[in-house]
Amino acid sequence: MERLLLLFVAGALAGVFVQPGSANPTKPHIVFIVADDLGWNDVGWHNPDVKTPVLDQLAHEGVILNQSYVNYVCTPSRTAFMTGYFPYHVGSQHVVFAPKRPQYIPSNFTF
């Protein structure tokens, strides 16, 4: 009886960690949340006066990355995030890509 219960529990736990259709069942799901103009004290885990319950839950169940560098405008940060290169190497360190203007990341950089 104990063996059957142990087998059932092991099977149930294996089902939790295996995603249907996944080639690698141990591969984690990674979600980055990037917000423009979000200050240090604009989230609940840094400032108890700010109520962000969903973000607080996500942060405490995951990883809080709090030692990072971002640029003063959005395009360089987004470029670095999407290409994996410093904006200086891509050529977008000082610009903001505005709508309806012919600006782009060079085609030799992949997303």
Side-chain angles (χ1 to χ4, degrees):
M1 184 68 174
E2 288 178 11
R3 219 178 218 182
L4 183 61
L5 180 63
L6 181 61
L7 183 62
F8 176 74
V9 170
L13 287 175
V16 169
F17 295 108
V18 175
Q19 297 296 323
S22 175
N24 184 356
T26 61
K27 191 174 186 179
H29 298 282
I30 298 173
V31 176
F32 286 98
I33 298 175
V34 180
D36 286 340
D37 300 326
L38 183 70
W40 180 263
N41 278 331
D42 293 342
V43 288
W45 62 88
H46 287 184
N47 183 355
D49 295 332
V50 175
K51 305 300 181 216
T52 55
V54 176
L55 289 178
D56 293 349
Q57 180 183 358
L58 288 170
H60 291 296
E61 291 176 1
V63 177
I64 298 173
L65 303 174
N66 61 5
Q67 293 185 4
S68 57
Y69 172 80
V70 295
N71 294 76
Y72 59 95
V73 292
C74 60
T75 298
S77 297
R78 291 177 182 178
T79 299
F81 182 71
M82 292 190 298
T83 64
Y85 289 92
F86 287 110
Y88 176 79
H89 296 293
V90 180
S92 66
Q93 69 271 23
H94 298 298
V95 298
V96 174
F97 293 164
K100 299 182 182 179
R101 291 184 58 195
Q103 295 174 313
Y104 60 92
I105 295 173
S107 61
N108 59 326
F109 294 97
T110 58
F111 292 90

